[in-house]
Every structure is written in C-alpha cells, then in structure tokens.
Tab-separated table of all heavy atoms in Angstrom:
chain	number	residue	atom	x	y	z
A	91	LEU	N	-4.873	-11.744	0.614
A	91	LEU	CA	-4.967	-11.580	-0.843
A	91	LEU	C	-4.141	-10.385	-1.296
A	91	LEU	O	-3.407	-10.465	-2.289
A	91	LEU	CB	-6.438	-11.381	-1.255
A	91	LEU	CG	-7.410	-12.512	-0.904
A	91	LEU	CD1	-8.834	-12.130	-1.293
A	91	LEU	CD2	-7.005	-13.821	-1.563
A	92	THR	N	-4.240	-9.277	-0.546
A	92	THR	CA	-3.472	-8.069	-0.886
A	92	THR	C	-1.978	-8.324	-0.713
A	92	THR	O	-1.171	-7.918	-1.538
A	92	THR	CB	-3.922	-6.886	-0.006
A	92	THR	OG1	-5.327	-6.709	-0.162
A	92	THR	CG2	-3.227	-5.597	-0.405
A	93	VAL	N	-1.621	-9.009	0.378
A	93	VAL	CA	-0.211	-9.321	0.626
A	93	VAL	C	0.344	-10.208	-0.488
A	93	VAL	O	1.455	-9.989	-0.984
A	93	VAL	CB	-0.019	-9.981	2.011
A	93	VAL	CG1	1.408	-10.492	2.184
A	93	VAL	CG2	-0.334	-8.977	3.126
A	94	ASN	N	-0.431	-11.201	-0.940
A	94	ASN	CA	-0.013	-12.036	-2.085
A	94	ASN	C	0.240	-11.192	-3.324
A	94	ASN	O	1.206	-11.405	-4.053
A	94	ASN	CB	-1.087	-13.098	-2.378
A	94	ASN	CG	-0.677	-14.476	-1.914
A	94	ASN	OD1	0.029	-15.201	-2.611
A	94	ASN	ND2	-1.098	-14.838	-0.709
A	95	ALA	N	-0.661	-10.232	-3.563
A	95	ALA	CA	-0.503	-9.342	-4.724
A	95	ALA	C	0.783	-8.514	-4.594
A	95	ALA	O	1.514	-8.337	-5.571
A	95	ALA	CB	-1.714	-8.425	-4.836
A	96	MET	N	1.059	-8.035	-3.377
A	96	MET	CA	2.224	-7.155	-3.182
A	96	MET	C	3.544	-7.916	-3.194
A	96	MET	O	4.578	-7.362	-3.566
A	96	MET	CB	2.072	-6.361	-1.883
A	96	MET	CG	1.024	-5.271	-1.992
A	96	MET	SD	0.987	-4.262	-0.494
A	96	MET	CE	-0.438	-3.216	-0.851
A	97	THR	N	3.529	-9.183	-2.789
A	97	THR	CA	4.767	-9.956	-2.872
A	97	THR	C	5.065	-10.327	-4.334
A	97	THR	O	6.215	-10.543	-4.712
A	97	THR	CB	4.704	-11.263	-2.040
A	97	THR	OG1	3.545	-11.988	-2.405
A	97	THR	CG2	4.684	-10.980	-0.561
A	98	THR	N	4.014	-10.346	-5.161
A	98	THR	CA	4.152	-10.669	-6.588
A	98	THR	C	4.567	-9.441	-7.388
A	98	THR	O	5.293	-9.546	-8.380
A	98	THR	CB	2.798	-11.186	-7.139
A	98	THR	OG1	2.335	-12.252	-6.320
A	98	THR	CG2	2.930	-11.682	-8.569
A	99	ALA	N	4.105	-8.269	-6.951
A	99	ALA	CA	4.244	-7.038	-7.742
A	99	ALA	C	5.635	-6.424	-7.687
A	99	ALA	O	6.393	-6.613	-6.736
A	99	ALA	CB	3.221	-6.015	-7.240
A	100	ASP	N	5.940	-5.676	-8.745
A	100	ASP	CA	7.134	-4.824	-8.756
A	100	ASP	C	6.782	-3.484	-8.122
A	100	ASP	O	7.600	-2.882	-7.431
A	100	ASP	CB	7.622	-4.594	-10.193
A	100	ASP	CG	7.951	-5.904	-10.906
A	100	ASP	OD1	8.710	-6.705	-10.327
A	100	ASP	OD2	7.431	-6.134	-12.025
A	101	THR	N	5.545	-3.037	-8.415
A	101	THR	CA	5.126	-1.724	-7.920
A	101	THR	C	3.643	-1.768	-7.515
A	101	THR	O	2.896	-2.648	-7.920
A	101	THR	CB	5.296	-0.645	-9.001
A	101	THR	OG1	4.555	-1.019	-10.165
A	101	THR	CG2	6.748	-0.416	-9.374
A	102	VAL	N	3.250	-0.764	-6.716
A	102	VAL	CA	1.855	-0.606	-6.309
A	102	VAL	C	1.352	0.735	-6.827
A	102	VAL	O	1.960	1.778	-6.573
A	102	VAL	CB	1.678	-0.647	-4.774
A	102	VAL	CG1	0.212	-0.512	-4.396
A	102	VAL	CG2	2.248	-1.939	-4.195
A	103	LEU	N	0.242	0.696	-7.576
A	103	LEU	CA	-0.393	1.917	-8.062
A	103	LEU	C	-1.600	2.206	-7.161
A	103	LEU	O	-2.400	1.301	-6.911
A	103	LEU	CB	-0.853	1.732	-9.511
A	103	LEU	CG	-1.478	2.971	-10.140
A	103	LEU	CD1	-0.630	3.438	-11.313
A	103	LEU	CD2	-2.872	2.683	-10.652
A	104	VAL	N	-1.682	3.424	-6.667
A	104	VAL	CA	-2.725	3.770	-5.696
A	104	VAL	C	-3.699	4.804	-6.283
A	104	VAL	O	-3.329	5.959	-6.486
A	104	VAL	CB	-2.095	4.351	-4.398
A	104	VAL	CG1	-3.175	4.615	-3.355
A	104	VAL	CG2	-1.021	3.420	-3.846
A	105	PRO	N	-4.938	4.390	-6.568
A	105	PRO	CA	-5.936	5.372	-7.012
A	105	PRO	C	-6.516	6.114	-5.801
A	105	PRO	O	-6.793	5.491	-4.770
A	105	PRO	CB	-7.027	4.512	-7.680
A	105	PRO	CG	-6.548	3.093	-7.615
A	105	PRO	CD	-5.499	3.040	-6.568
A	106	ILE	N	-6.655	7.417	-5.942
A	106	ILE	CA	-7.246	8.235	-4.866
A	106	ILE	C	-8.387	9.057	-5.440
A	106	ILE	O	-8.226	9.753	-6.438
A	106	ILE	CB	-6.197	9.203	-4.261
A	106	ILE	CG1	-5.115	8.409	-3.521
A	106	ILE	CG2	-6.850	10.180	-3.314
A	106	ILE	CD1	-4.104	9.295	-2.854
A	107	GLN	N	-9.544	8.950	-4.791
A	107	GLN	CA	-10.704	9.708	-5.221
A	107	GLN	C	-10.565	11.168	-4.771
A	107	GLN	O	-10.086	11.430	-3.663
A	107	GLN	CB	-11.967	9.098	-4.603
A	107	GLN	CG	-13.252	9.724	-5.116
A	107	GLN	CD	-14.480	9.069	-4.498
A	107	GLN	OE1	-14.367	8.123	-3.731
A	107	GLN	NE2	-15.634	9.569	-4.824
A	108	CYS	N	-10.962	12.078	-5.634
A	108	CYS	CA	-10.875	13.508	-5.293
A	108	CYS	C	-12.047	13.893	-4.385
A	108	CYS	O	-13.031	14.497	-4.820
A	108	CYS	CB	-10.884	14.351	-6.556
A	108	CYS	SG	-9.372	14.189	-7.515
A	109	GLU	N	-11.944	13.509	-3.119
A	109	GLU	CA	-12.984	13.857	-2.159
A	109	GLU	C	-12.329	14.175	-0.810
A	109	GLU	O	-11.137	13.955	-0.618
A	109	GLU	CB	-13.982	12.692	-2.003
A	109	GLU	CG	-13.347	11.396	-1.572
A	109	GLU	CD	-14.299	10.519	-0.797
A	109	GLU	OE1	-15.465	10.388	-1.181
A	109	GLU	OE2	-13.839	9.936	0.211
A	110	TYR	N	-13.121	14.649	0.123
A	110	TYR	CA	-12.614	15.184	1.390
A	110	TYR	C	-11.772	14.162	2.166
A	110	TYR	O	-10.776	14.521	2.775
A	110	TYR	CB	-13.803	15.656	2.247
A	110	TYR	CG	-13.370	16.322	3.525
A	110	TYR	CD1	-12.726	17.575	3.509
A	110	TYR	CD2	-13.581	15.703	4.752
A	110	TYR	CE1	-12.331	18.185	4.681
A	110	TYR	CE2	-13.188	16.301	5.927
A	110	TYR	CZ	-12.563	17.542	5.894
A	110	TYR	OH	-12.163	18.138	7.063
A	111	TYR	N	-12.197	12.900	2.168
A	111	TYR	CA	-11.496	11.889	2.970
A	111	TYR	C	-10.421	11.135	2.182
A	111	TYR	O	-10.078	10.017	2.502
A	111	TYR	CB	-12.507	10.873	3.532
A	111	TYR	CG	-13.453	11.472	4.528
A	111	TYR	CD1	-14.811	11.598	4.232
A	111	TYR	CD2	-13.006	11.927	5.771
A	111	TYR	CE1	-15.689	12.162	5.140
A	111	TYR	CE2	-13.873	12.488	6.685
A	111	TYR	CZ	-15.223	12.609	6.374
A	111	TYR	OH	-16.085	13.167	7.273
A	112	ALA	N	-9.903	11.761	1.148
A	112	ALA	CA	-8.953	11.085	0.253
A	112	ALA	C	-7.739	10.521	0.995
A	112	ALA	O	-7.259	9.439	0.677
A	112	ALA	CB	-8.491	12.047	-0.830
A	113	LEU	N	-7.244	11.273	1.975
A	113	LEU	CA	-6.025	10.839	2.663
A	113	LEU	C	-6.280	9.838	3.778
A	113	LEU	O	-5.362	9.248	4.327
A	113	LEU	CB	-5.285	12.062	3.250
A	113	LEU	CG	-4.584	12.962	2.222
A	113	LEU	CD1	-4.159	14.253	2.851
A	113	LEU	CD2	-3.397	12.260	1.621
A	114	GLU	N	-7.586	9.646	4.088
A	114	GLU	CA	-7.937	8.725	5.173
A	114	GLU	C	-7.552	7.292	4.796
A	114	GLU	O	-7.886	6.794	3.748
A	114	GLU	CB	-9.448	8.791	5.415
A	114	GLU	CG	-9.902	8.123	6.699
A	114	GLU	CD	-11.408	8.218	6.859
A	114	GLU	OE1	-12.105	7.425	6.221
A	114	GLU	OE2	-11.879	9.097	7.594
A	115	GLY	N	-6.842	6.639	5.683
A	115	GLY	CA	-6.461	5.244	5.431
A	115	GLY	C	-5.234	5.087	4.557
A	115	GLY	O	-4.682	3.996	4.438
A	116	LEU	N	-4.807	6.205	3.948
A	116	LEU	CA	-3.660	6.106	3.045
A	116	LEU	C	-2.380	5.780	3.805
A	116	LEU	O	-1.526	5.047	3.308
A	116	LEU	CB	-3.507	7.414	2.257
A	116	LEU	CG	-2.826	7.309	0.913
A	116	LEU	CD1	-3.524	6.324	0.010
A	116	LEU	CD2	-2.720	8.657	0.259
A	117	SER	N	-2.261	6.306	5.023
A	117	SER	CA	-1.064	6.017	5.827
A	117	SER	C	-0.989	4.524	6.162
A	117	SER	O	0.093	3.950	6.212
A	117	SER	CB	-1.056	6.869	7.102
A	117	SER	OG	-2.226	6.630	7.847
A	118	ASP	N	-2.169	3.896	6.377
A	118	ASP	CA	-2.197	2.447	6.639
A	118	ASP	C	-1.682	1.668	5.436
A	118	ASP	O	-0.939	0.696	5.571
A	118	ASP	CB	-3.627	1.965	6.964
A	118	ASP	CG	-4.115	2.502	8.301
A	118	ASP	OD1	-3.258	2.884	9.118
A	118	ASP	OD2	-5.323	2.529	8.525
A	119	LEU	N	-2.111	2.099	4.253
A	119	LEU	CA	-1.686	1.433	3.022
A	119	LEU	C	-0.181	1.588	2.827
A	119	LEU	O	0.519	0.631	2.505
A	119	LEU	CB	-2.439	2.007	1.821
A	119	LEU	CG	-2.067	1.428	0.445
A	119	LEU	CD1	-2.378	-0.063	0.364
A	119	LEU	CD2	-2.779	2.178	-0.674
A	120	MET	N	0.320	2.816	3.050
A	120	MET	CA	1.762	3.058	2.898
A	120	MET	C	2.553	2.206	3.900
A	120	MET	O	3.614	1.669	3.569
A	120	MET	CB	2.089	4.548	3.121
A	120	MET	CG	1.448	5.462	2.105
A	120	MET	SD	1.958	5.063	0.412
A	120	MET	CE	0.874	6.114	-0.524
A	121	TYR	N	2.013	2.070	5.130
A	121	TYR	CA	2.662	1.259	6.149
A	121	TYR	C	2.722	-0.212	5.706
A	121	TYR	O	3.750	-0.867	5.841
A	121	TYR	CB	1.906	1.381	7.488
A	121	TYR	CG	2.424	0.463	8.561
A	121	TYR	CD1	3.633	0.715	9.203
A	121	TYR	CD2	1.700	-0.690	8.925
A	121	TYR	CE1	4.123	-0.137	10.190
A	121	TYR	CE2	2.179	-1.546	9.906
A	121	TYR	CZ	3.387	-1.264	10.528
A	121	TYR	OH	3.863	-2.124	11.501
A	122	THR	N	1.612	-0.708	5.138
A	122	THR	CA	1.557	-2.092	4.665
A	122	THR	C	2.579	-2.315	3.545
A	122	THR	O	3.287	-3.331	3.531
A	122	THR	CB	0.135	-2.448	4.155
A	122	THR	OG1	-0.791	-2.245	5.209
A	122	THR	CG2	0.055	-3.888	3.693
A	123	ILE	N	2.632	-1.366	2.610
A	123	ILE	CA	3.592	-1.476	1.503
A	123	ILE	C	5.026	-1.543	2.044
A	123	ILE	O	5.817	-2.380	1.613
A	123	ILE	CB	3.422	-0.308	0.504
A	123	ILE	CG1	2.064	-0.414	-0.212
A	123	ILE	CG2	4.554	-0.280	-0.521
A	123	ILE	CD1	1.664	0.817	-1.016
A	124	GLU	N	5.335	-0.684	3.009
A	124	GLU	CA	6.678	-0.671	3.601
A	124	GLU	C	6.977	-1.975	4.345
A	124	GLU	O	8.093	-2.499	4.300
A	124	GLU	CB	6.843	0.533	4.557
A	124	GLU	CG	7.036	1.863	3.846
A	124	GLU	CD	8.195	1.837	2.852
A	124	GLU	OE1	9.285	1.334	3.188
A	124	GLU	OE2	8.014	2.311	1.703
A	125	LEU	N	5.953	-2.505	5.027
A	125	LEU	CA	6.094	-3.758	5.773
A	125	LEU	C	6.373	-4.925	4.831
A	125	LEU	O	7.264	-5.745	5.063
A	125	LEU	CB	4.805	-4.020	6.565
A	125	LEU	CG	4.905	-4.906	7.813
A	125	LEU	CD1	5.881	-4.284	8.825
A	125	LEU	CD2	3.534	-5.075	8.451
A	126	VAL	N	5.587	-4.978	3.741
A	126	VAL	CA	5.791	-6.035	2.734
A	126	VAL	C	7.188	-5.905	2.128
A	126	VAL	O	7.889	-6.897	1.920
A	126	VAL	CB	4.695	-5.987	1.635
A	126	VAL	CG1	5.040	-6.932	0.482
A	126	VAL	CG2	3.332	-6.342	2.219
A	127	LYS	N	7.586	-4.659	1.878
A	127	LYS	CA	8.910	-4.421	1.276
A	127	LYS	C	10.021	-4.892	2.211
A	127	LYS	O	10.984	-5.543	1.778
A	127	LYS	CB	9.076	-2.926	0.962
A	127	LYS	CG	10.426	-2.611	0.342
A	127	LYS	CD	10.534	-1.188	-0.134
A	127	LYS	CE	11.914	-0.965	-0.737
A	127	LYS	NZ	12.020	0.286	-1.459
A	128	SER	N	9.899	-4.595	3.496
A	128	SER	CA	10.977	-4.931	4.436
A	128	SER	C	11.022	-6.437	4.764
A	128	SER	O	12.085	-6.966	5.052
A	128	SER	CB	10.844	-4.111	5.723
A	128	SER	OG	9.643	-4.444	6.384
A	129	ARG	N	9.873	-7.106	4.693
A	129	ARG	CA	9.846	-8.506	5.142
A	129	ARG	C	9.643	-9.541	4.038
A	129	ARG	O	10.034	-10.690	4.197
A	129	ARG	CB	8.746	-8.676	6.180
A	129	ARG	CG	8.975	-7.819	7.412
A	129	ARG	CD	8.026	-8.146	8.515
A	129	ARG	NE	8.239	-7.275	9.654
A	129	ARG	CZ	7.541	-7.315	10.765
A	129	ARG	NH1	6.573	-8.186	10.892
A	129	ARG	NH2	7.793	-6.485	11.763
A	130	LEU	N	9.000	-9.144	2.948
A	130	LEU	CA	8.611	-10.159	1.952
A	130	LEU	C	9.071	-9.889	0.527
A	130	LEU	O	9.270	-10.811	-0.253
A	130	LEU	CB	7.063	-10.309	1.951
A	130	LEU	CG	6.416	-10.751	3.256
A	130	LEU	CD1	4.910	-10.529	3.189
A	130	LEU	CD2	6.709	-12.208	3.547
A	131	ASN	N	9.185	-8.605	0.158
A	131	ASN	CA	9.507	-8.264	-1.238
A	131	ASN	C	10.311	-6.982	-1.272
A	131	ASN	O	9.762	-5.885	-1.411
A	131	ASN	CB	8.203	-8.120	-2.041
A	131	ASN	CG	8.462	-7.751	-3.505
A	131	ASN	OD1	9.597	-7.726	-3.958
A	131	ASN	ND2	7.390	-7.465	-4.243
A	132	GLU	N	11.615	-7.131	-1.157
A	132	GLU	CA	12.482	-5.947	-1.026
A	132	GLU	C	12.494	-5.059	-2.272
A	132	GLU	O	12.915	-3.901	-2.220
A	132	GLU	CB	13.914	-6.374	-0.678
A	132	GLU	CG	14.562	-7.262	-1.717
A	132	GLU	CD	15.972	-7.720	-1.322
A	132	GLU	OE1	16.277	-7.691	-0.123
A	132	GLU	OE2	16.737	-8.089	-2.238
A	133	LYS	N	12.018	-5.610	-3.411
A	133	LYS	CA	12.012	-4.824	-4.646
A	133	LYS	C	10.744	-3.972	-4.813
A	133	LYS	O	10.618	-3.197	-5.752
A	133	LYS	CB	12.150	-5.762	-5.861
A	133	LYS	CG	13.511	-6.449	-5.909
A	133	LYS	CD	13.589	-7.408	-7.072
A	133	LYS	CE	14.948	-8.107	-7.099
A	133	LYS	NZ	14.984	-9.174	-8.102
C-alpha cells in the first residue's frame, strides 16, 4: 500500500513526533523512499 502511494506521489512528507525515539525507524523509511525512487518512480 505504501509502495503504491510512493509510486503515485511526487513527494513524501514525513511527520515526526517530538519524542525521544523520533529518529527510530526513520532510516528505514528513507531507504524505502530511495529504493522506490531508483526502481519505480525516479521523480
């Protein structure tokens, strides 16, 4: 579902909560965005 959204999108907006674990998992999301960009949606 997320991949479908990212192949459709021009951009991804990322909300981050102001709490201690804010950066947790963010690297995974950035990796997914880069993967989608390189393989499915270069824009």
